[in-house]
Amino acid sequence: MPFTKGQRVRMLVESIGDDANDVERTYPAGTLAVVDDIDDRGIHHVVVGPPTDDSIVQCFDTGPEAEAAMKALPYLRAEPIPYSSVVGAGVLLHDETGKVIGKIALLGVEGGREAQEALRDRLVKAISAGQPERQVTHTKRGSTYDVVASAALFQVSDRQDLHGIPKGRIVEDGDPVTVYCNEHGTFVRFPDEMVSPRFEEVTS
């Protein structure tokens, strides 16, 4: 299938290249990417990894080479179907235009209404995870980006100096952050704060 500019894809091959600082980076097969541009020769320019100015840009020829290197990702939005004593609970699937393209029926799940609604909510969350809220275009570069959380809240652990005065932390361009979410919202925190005793890994 032909690819289009701004399309989200999953890489089928390992991607190796230098970033804007001439540091070599490697992204394994399975990494998410964006078709940044398709030039007039049909060459696909693909931003590999997080869509930032420092991401690796891979180039693939049109046709078989591009199709062997990446796989288009379909857009799916999941909508919960309220429980009914006749048909049970379910999930509606929409494409990027809002058109209904599928339905998951949960009638017959053991545990009755409560079990169906719990499974429905888990499916909606899993299907919707990582789906963009909207897309925006960088006016200078012309690149298209997915907005995955437009109102994420930055969190900083309490830090005080020797006098008990709260200390802030400076965020510089290119600093890594961790994005996490639950039913209360989406949050951003420094990676070194996502550790014990504030957080513990879920192992089960």
Side-chain angles (χ1 to χ4, degrees), residues 59-162:
C59 297
F60 302 100
D61 202 350
T62 185
E65 182 180 349
E67 292 180 3
M70 54 192 178
K71 176 182 180 182
L73 290 179
Y75 176 88
L76 282 180
R77 181 173 64 84
E79 176 187 358
I81 300 175
Y83 177 86
S84 163
S85 59
V86 178
V87 298
V91 179
L92 280 180
L93 302 176
H94 301 262
D95 66 11
E96 61 272 15
T97 68
K99 178 183 177 181
V100 176
I101 58 174
K103 177 180 178 181
I104 302 174
L106 301 178
L107 186 64
V109 173
E110 292 185 7
R113 175 174 182 171
E114 184 175 337
Q116 286 188 37
E117 290 180 333
L119 178 57
R120 176 202 62 194
D121 294 343
R122 287 174 57 196
L123 286 172
V124 168
K125 184 176 180 180
I127 293 170
S128 300
Q131 297 289 343
E133 296 177 358
R134 65 184 194 280
Q135 288 191 318
V136 296
T137 300
H138 192 294
T139 55
K140 184 176 180 180
R141 298 184 65 216
S143 305
T144 300
Y145 300 99
D146 290 338
V147 177
V148 296
S150 58
L153 302 177
F154 207 102
Q155 305 288 301
V156 179
S157 298
D158 294 334
R159 293 169 179 266
Q160 298 180 345
D161 62 16
L162 297 176

